Amino acid sequence: MDHVVVGSTNPVKVAATERIVSRIESSGVSADDDPDATVESVGVASGVSEQPRGRSETITGAENRARRALAAGERWDFGVGIEGGVADLDPTDGLWLVMWAVVTDGDRLERGGGPALRLPEDVATAVREGSELGPLLDDLLGTDGIKHDAGAAGVFTGGAIDRQSALEHAVASAFGPFVTDHYE
């Protein structure tokens, strides 16, 4: 795993990927001889709504980002796409924050999900009526750019986790089939 590209310039998504690539490299799980993998970022379109709705649209956005990032240059071994969205999760009530990551090497496409958090009803109602979660939270909390910081995950867990750590789980899950032989 020499060169990894993230299909976003969002610093939280890039940091989540850097952390997981570093952990994979330091754990010795990667079969690569180069222990100094690099992570770069490139802005690409997700091809989905600014506020993805449903697991399918959220996963599609992550897939598009991974493919488009990898296609943006010839020097990368893996493309990573990360997308957060909102979804109804049957059989539970409420609207949920969901996070998905996709990793591709150009041949295979692997997916991994992060934690799902139920949104408070007032926030869910506003999102159902068309608001985007990040700007909505900025308005409610008097912040600017919450999605580049703690994110909704940090807000709704009282800081127990933040957006980066939540996304790390999704990225690690998507990399799993590439770095272990358990999927062969």
Side-chain angles (χ1 to χ4, degrees), residues 1 3-6 70 76-80 103-105 175 178:
M1 177 182 321
H3 304 289
V4 177
V5 62
V6 182
L70 190 64
W76 297 307
D77 301 306
F78 293 98
V80 177
V103 174
T104 185
D105 62 0
F175 261 117
F178 289 104

Side-chain angles (χ1 to χ4, degrees), residues 102-115:
V102 172
V103 174
T104 185
D105 62 0
D107 294 321
R108 292 171 45 197
L109 195 72
E110 298 292 346
R111 298 155 189 86

Side-chain angles (χ1 to χ4, degrees), residues 30-179:
S30 176
D32 197 290
D33 293 332
D34 181 4
D36 297 320
T38 59
V39 176
E40 298 179 51
S41 66
V42 61
V44 296
S46 68
V48 299
S49 331
E50 192 64 33
Q51 177 63 76
R53 296 174 189 278
R55 281 186 283 194
S56 180
E57 185 179 15
T58 306
I59 293 168
T60 297
E63 290 173 349
N64 290 342
R65 286 183 186 279
R67 285 186 182 113
R68 290 171 179 171
L70 190 64
E74 295 181 18
R75 64 185 180 275
W76 297 307
D77 301 306
F78 293 98
V80 177
I82 302 170
E83 198 70 40
V86 295
D88 291 297
L89 301 178
D90 290 332
T92 63
D93 293 331
L95 188 64
W96 294 75
L97 170 66
V98 295
M99 295 156 246
W100 283 88
V102 172
V103 174
T104 185
D105 62 0
D107 294 321
R108 292 171 45 197
L109 195 72
E110 298 292 346
R111 298 155 189 86
L117 297 97
R118 186 177 59 80
L119 298 175
E121 196 54 43
D122 60 332
V123 172
T125 298
V127 170
R128 287 186 194 281
E129 292 173 353
S131 293
E132 183 186 341
L133 185 56
L136 173 65
L137 290 179
D138 281 336
D139 288 346
L140 290 173
L141 302 172
T143 56
D144 183 30
I146 194 86
K147 70 181 184 179
H148 297 291
D149 192 26
V155 171
F156 297 129
T157 64
I161 63 172
D162 59 18
R163 187 169 191 222
Q164 179 179 324
S165 65
L167 294 176
E168 287 173 11
H169 291 275
V171 173
S173 298
F175 261 117
F178 289 104
V179 299

Side-chain angles (χ1 to χ4, degrees), residues 4-15:
V4 177
V5 62
V6 182
S8 174
T9 57
N10 181 314
V12 176
K13 292 179 180 184
V14 175

